[in-house]
């Protein structure tokens, strides 16, 4: 039983339905990319529920009034390369003024340890709300490392959004970074001996970019 204060597992039927389509090995790259974007939007909708609002004056065609606008810190979206890139456009369609940084990591296929090859984040990262994106949370090594690097760079207010997680990855991430809220489309059964999520969807990067 996964019971962490910082874990939010999505229950929305649309998310569950789209994840099933994503799992299907017959779903081609074009549809796969569209689904990743759509699911990212739906998870972001949940993950932005706590954004603070403030009052703003606005003139409608009828009268002047006071209405709500988001009074948040500025947002930074940080996809973990490669597969996290597939979620960026969906989030940007909701929050077009967000800045985008990148953390490049790949898993060593034997040790499953993350290897860093790129890191660039927007300026003033310490005063931004940071949303880290990766469709897959498997061992949790990549997510923990990415968040370690972001905290070293000054990030303080961090959320992590993923589509499919393994219980092992959820435990590792939620325990390593209890201050980070983790939003997850679904938690699957387990990892296999190669570190792949079961039943999962296979290799997310390969399916998004049509490699392999
Ligand atoms: C995948 C995925 C995550 C990571 C998850 O990336 O996109 O970043 O694996 O695994 P973990 O939780 O065990 O660290 P991968 O290393 O395959 O790189 P890629 O996106 O460049 O293909
Ligand atoms: N990365 C993926 O893309 N898929 C998995 O199942 C595990 C890690």
């Amino acid at each position: 039983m996964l019971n962490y204060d910082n874990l939010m597992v999505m229950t929305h039927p649309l998310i569950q339905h789209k994840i099933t389509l994503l799992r299907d090995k017959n779903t081609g790259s074009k549809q796969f990319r569209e689904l990743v974007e759509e699911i990212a939007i739906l998870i972001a909708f949940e993950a932005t529920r706590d954004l603070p609002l403030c009052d703003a004056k606005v003139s409608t065609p009828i009268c002047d009034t006071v209405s709500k606008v988001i009074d948040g810190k500025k947002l930074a979206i940080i996809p973990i390369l490669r597969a996290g890139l597939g979620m960026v456009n969906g989030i940007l369609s909701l929050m077009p003024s967000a800045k985008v940084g990148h953390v490049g990591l790949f898993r060593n296929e034997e040790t499953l340890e993350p290897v860093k090859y790129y890191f660039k984040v927007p300026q003033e990262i310490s005063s931004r709300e940071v949303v880290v994106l990766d469709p897959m949370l498997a061992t949790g090594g990549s997510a923990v490392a990415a968040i370690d690097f972001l905290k070293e760079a000054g990030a303080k207010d961090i959320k992590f959004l993923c589509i499919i997680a393994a219980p092992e990855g959820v435990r590792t991430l939620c325990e390593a970074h209890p201050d980070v809220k983790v939003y997850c489309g679904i938690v699957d059964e387990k990892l296999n001996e190669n570190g792949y999520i079961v039943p999962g969807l296979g290799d997310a990067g390969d399916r998004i970019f049509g490699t392999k």
Side-chain angles (χ1 to χ4, degrees):
M1 181 63 184
L2 295 168
N3 193 7
Y4 294 99
D5 289 344
N6 57 328
L7 173 67
M8 259 63 59
V9 181
M10 305 294 106
T11 53
H12 199 290
L14 281 175
I15 298 179
Q16 304 312 310
H17 178 87
K18 288 176 190 293
I19 288 175
T20 301
L21 300 177
L22 209 54
R23 292 189 192 281
D24 188 338
K25 65 181 182 189
N26 295 315
T27 297
S29 286
K30 178 177 181 290
Q31 193 192 359
F32 192 92
R33 281 193 293 271
E34 289 166 359
L35 287 163
V36 167
E37 248 182 70
E38 290 165 6
I39 296 167
I41 292 173
L42 293 168
I43 298 178
F45 187 74
E46 293 293 335
T48 48
R49 269 187 195 283
D50 60 353
L51 289 182
L53 293 169
C54 65
D55 290 338
K57 289 184 185 155
V58 63
S59 302
T60 78
I62 309 297
C63 66
D64 294 342
T65 187
V66 174
S67 191
K68 300 290 180 194
V69 291
I70 288 168
D71 182 28
K73 297 177 191 169
K74 293 200 165 82
L75 209 71
I77 300 171
I78 315 285
I80 301 179
L81 307 180
R82 292 174 298 163
L85 285 174
M87 299 171 75
V88 171
N89 284 345
I91 310 282
L92 281 177
S93 70
L94 287 181
M95 291 166 290
S97 61
K99 302 281 187 253
V100 184
H102 298 87
V103 180
L105 294 173
F106 66 86
R107 295 197 307 178
N108 176 309
E109 283 184 11
E110 270 141 40
T111 64
L112 300 182
E113 289 297 318
V115 180
K116 179 178 166 192
Y117 59 89
Y118 190 76
F119 185 83
K120 180 125 185 151
V121 293
Q123 287 182 335
E124 298 164 7
I125 195 77
S126 58
S127 57
R128 291 181 186 274
E129 173 158 345
V130 175
V131 180
V132 182
L133 307 175
D134 194 329
M136 308 307 277
L137 178 64
T139 65
S142 302
V144 169
I147 293 169
D148 285 343
F149 298 136
L150 288 164
K151 286 185 175 176
E152 277 166 28
K156 294 186 184 76
D157 182 0
I158 304 175
K159 290 176 176 167
F160 180 83
L161 272 56
C162 65
I163 297 178
I164 300 186
E168 294 88 334
V170 169
R171 276 188 210 105
T172 299
L173 177 57
C174 288
E175 289 174 18
H177 292 293
D179 57 311
V180 172
K181 278 196 186 157
V182 177
Y183 296 85
C184 173
I186 198 163
V187 181
D188 272 5
E189 194 187 323
K190 61 178 182 181
L191 289 178
N192 69 13
E193 58 288 0
N194 300 316
Y196 276 84
I197 300 174
V198 180
L201 51 71
D203 188 301
D206 283 344
R207 295 197 63 187
I208 289 171
F209 296 107
T211 43
K212 204 176 256 182

